[in-house]
Amino acid sequence: MKNNHIFLPVDELPKHWYNILPDLPKPLPPYKEPEKGVSRVELMKKLFTKTSLELEFSKERWISIPDKVRELYIHIGRPRPLYRAKRLEEFLNTPARIYYKREDLAPTGSFKMNSMIPQVYYAYKEGFKRVVAPTGAGQVGSAVAFAAAMFSLDCTIFWVRHACRMKRERASYTRMLNAKVIESPSETTKIGKKYLEENPEHPGSLGTAYAETFEVALNNDDTVAIWGSRMNHVIMHHTIIGLETKKQLEIIDKSPDVVLSCGGTGSNFPGLAYPFIKDYLDGKLGNIKFLVVQTSAAPTLIKGEYRYDFVEPSRTLPLMKMYTLGVETKLPLIRAEGLRSSSSSPTLSLLRHEGIIDAIALDEKEALEAAKIFLQTEGVLVALESAYAVKAAIDEALKAKRENKEKVIVFNVSGNGFFDMEGYREVLKDI
Ligand SMILES: Cc1ncc(COP(=O)(O)O)c(C=O)c1O
């Protein structure tokens, strides 16, 4: 019987991550100090592990994955299967072949583990006692808590308040992993108190959660911050997704025509796409479309400006050149909190600026309706964020049908939706 699932044996788990920095069509504009105030580059040294910062600026193309991290990757089920969406193809009656990578099968429910495990491992190796991280959708928070449990480190998570209340189950799950989960803004930090004085009903934002995380990391020598997205070292860790996918497509002798994934700040899409972008830049892939799927609530790569900006309102990190809607912009509240970011990662922004990647922005309702179709055909309940990728994959498959082309469409199911039902219910109403 024909199997639509493409597995990779454990001994095929990649031994290296891919770093796109040496292959970018132009050098990445350096992180910049603002005109006033303390050196942000020096602050970075106090916030993150030494290893993360070395990787952040590394010019090595291939970064060896530590044995301990590979061991844990295998423990959490890597290599992950690539599925062909045969039932969805039949439903759409399309000649396209749709493949999806199953990052939703991670124990904490999303791709975020790929970077949280190595980052917490570096913290453990460097002798820190505690890790602290901001989280919005909660996927970063759970993954950091999981990794901290694996290395017996203490863990504090500042969770955007409105998102934390919407995701009560995920918050409890994260506490069960032994993390201290604090709704942000909180009374536990000076900056949190300030936000609450200004607005006692403050719904929180990634900005408040970053600010509280930084305050705790800067004031405690035994504590280090863990970073959820955007930075080069985080993206590099996630390339394990695309490296595996490339091997899986090679097994079935297929080459992608479209590689797409949802994008918030921008580590999920790069995780899948950068290994393919390498091949494209090396001239090994011809006519291929790289597509980032954003929310219309935060269409940074479409409506943003490519310029230097701060990453978060507390302005603790250096200025980065990226597509930004403006760090102070108030973004509309949506359920897919993980896509709600005011700016995009520097490398992804550069690739967008060079015309190598496309971007679209979708409304939440159309994305979540697509997730319903995916559940009813493929049987997989995707995370709210991943629903956007599903919708884009369906649209690409329908386009292939109109053009009568057997296109190969590859996308990443970045997370599962078991803890996301409240968001689905609020939008879809009839479930
Ligand atoms: C399930 C899921 N998918 C995608 C994203 C977006 O990831 P990124 O910010 O790396 O683009 C997130 C972010 O939290 C997420 O939780």
Side-chain angles (χ1 to χ4, degrees):
M1 200 174 294
K2 194 147 169 35
N3 185 2
N4 289 317
H5 307 167
I6 304 126
F7 293 100
L8 208 57
V10 165
D11 54 12
E12 285 287 327
L13 180 73
K15 294 192 168 59
H16 296 88
W17 293 300
Y18 171 55
N19 175 16
I20 201 166
L21 284 189
D23 292 330
L24 287 172
K26 280 190 181 159
L28 191 69
Y31 295 171
K32 232 172 57 175
E33 298 283 11
E35 274 165 22
K36 287 193 210 136
V38 294
S39 161
R40 305 307 205 268
V41 175
E42 287 307 310
L43 280 184
M44 271 175 95
K45 291 186 189 157
K46 292 189 190 152
L47 284 170
F48 302 117
T49 62
K50 229 169 118 239
T51 320
S52 287
L53 282 184
E54 275 164 17
L55 289 181
E56 186 62 21
F57 301 106
S58 170
K59 293 284 172 342
E60 293 292 319
R61 181 171 289 116
W62 298 105
I63 308 289
S64 180
I65 306 177
D67 285 347
K68 190 74 202 163
V69 173
R70 286 187 90 239
E71 204 180 282
L72 274 171
Y73 275 176
I74 292 166
H75 177 77
I76 63 166
R78 301 216 76 91
R80 296 213 183 289
L82 180 73
Y83 278 23
R84 180 169 170 199
K86 195 82 176 64
R87 288 168 175 276
L88 177 64
E89 289 168 20
E90 280 161 14
F91 173 80
L92 300 173
N93 190 20
T94 172
R97 285 166 173 261
I98 310 172
Y99 295 94
Y100 57 103
K101 184 72 168 166
R102 297 291 315 264
E103 291 302 312
D104 59 301
L105 294 178
T108 65
S110 89
F111 77 107
K112 294 284 182 188
M113 300 188 91
N114 300 321
S115 180
M116 301 311 123
I117 288 173
Q119 286 190 59
V120 175
Y121 170 66
Y122 307 148
Y124 161 80
K125 283 262 291 185
E126 292 178 26
F128 290 99
K129 297 277 173 288
R130 176 169 63 152
V131 288
V132 56
T135 200
Q139 298 278 15
V140 168
S142 307
V144 174
F146 175 96
M150 293 297 114
F151 293 105
S152 305
L153 296 188
D154 291 338
C155 176
T156 301
I157 302 295
F158 285 102
W159 201 314
V160 177
R161 179 191 267 176
H162 80 92
C164 188
R165 291 186 181 172
M166 189 176 84
K167 299 226 170 150
R168 285 190 58 231
E169 289 85 355
R170 182 167 285 283
S172 297
Y173 164 76
T174 306
R175 288 190 180 101
M176 256 179 101
L177 280 164
N178 211 21
K180 188 168 174 193
V181 171
I182 303 173
E183 286 182 10
S184 176
S186 75
E187 295 283 352
T188 66
T189 63
K190 273 195 199 146
I191 184 83
K193 281 186 188 144
K194 188 168 157 283
Y195 286 127
L196 288 174
E197 270 163 28
E198 283 162 17
N199 176 9
E201 299 307 314
H202 201 308
S205 65
L206 269 178
T208 67
Y210 284 134
E212 293 197 90
T213 296
F214 292 154
E215 188 179 315
V216 169
L218 288 175
N219 289 318
N220 294 280
D221 287 345
D222 65 352
T223 304
V224 73
I226 302 294
W227 202 245
S229 186
R230 185 186 315 271
M231 311 275 271
N232 302 328
H233 67 277
V234 179
I235 289 177
M236 188 177 306
H237 297 144
H238 289 307
T239 59
I240 189 88
I241 304 169
L243 292 167
E244 284 180 11
T245 306
K246 250 166 66 83
K247 288 189 181 204
Q248 286 162 315
L249 289 176
E250 275 159 25
I251 292 173
I252 54 168
D253 203 18
K254 290 283 170 218
S255 177
D257 297 297
V258 182
V259 174
L260 67 87
S261 209
C262 64
T265 308
S267 68
N268 169 49
F269 171 84
L272 173 69
Y274 280 8
F276 291 98
I277 290 182
K278 177 182 189 319
D279 282 1
Y280 172 77
L281 294 170
D282 288 347
K284 291 188 195 150
L285 291 174
N287 201 4
I288 180 166
K289 179 170 176 179
F290 296 107
L291 181 66
V292 184
V293 191
Q294 300 197 299
T295 158
S296 50
T300 54
L301 294 169
I302 298 152
K303 297 205 172 143
E305 285 175 61
Y306 188 49
R307 63 172 167 89
Y308 275 100
D309 197 4
F310 285 102
V311 167
E312 30 65 56
S314 74
R315 299 171 185 229
T316 309
L317 294 183
L319 289 153
M320 297 184 190
K321 190 158 183 187
M322 57 199 174
Y323 277 97
T324 175
L325 298 166
V327 68
E328 299 291 351
T329 304
K330 297 263 173 296
L331 302 170
L333 293 183
I334 52 163
R335 282 69 176 190
E337 177 68 22
L339 302 186
R340 200 169 151 264
S341 171
S342 68
S343 57
S344 197
S345 56
T347 55
L348 190 58
S349 296
L350 184 138
L351 291 166
R352 169 74 172 151
H353 198 246
E354 292 300 307
I356 291 166
I357 58 160
D358 283 335
I360 52 165
L362 301 175
D363 289 338
E364 195 144 76
K365 182 121 190 338
E366 55 179 338
L368 271 48
E369 292 286 1
K372 198 157 113 183
I373 293 174
F374 199 66
L375 177 63
Q376 290 169 6
T377 52
E378 291 296 311
V380 176
L381 177 66
V382 304
L384 295 164
E385 292 78 10
S386 318
Y388 288 70
V390 170
K391 167 68 178 154
I394 290 177
D395 287 350
E396 288 292 330
L398 292 174
K399 192 163 157 231
K401 179 176 168 179
R402 287 193 298 277
E403 295 169 352
N404 197 23
K405 287 193 179 146
E406 201 189 274
K407 283 197 180 161
V408 174
I409 299 164
V410 182
F411 75 100
N412 187 28
V413 174
S414 53
N416 81 48
F418 285 134
F419 284 146
D420 290 353
M421 286 325 293
E422 193 158 337
Y424 274 112
R425 219 168 14 242
E426 281 176 16
V427 176
L428 297 179
K429 312 265 193 247
D430 58 340
I431 57 164

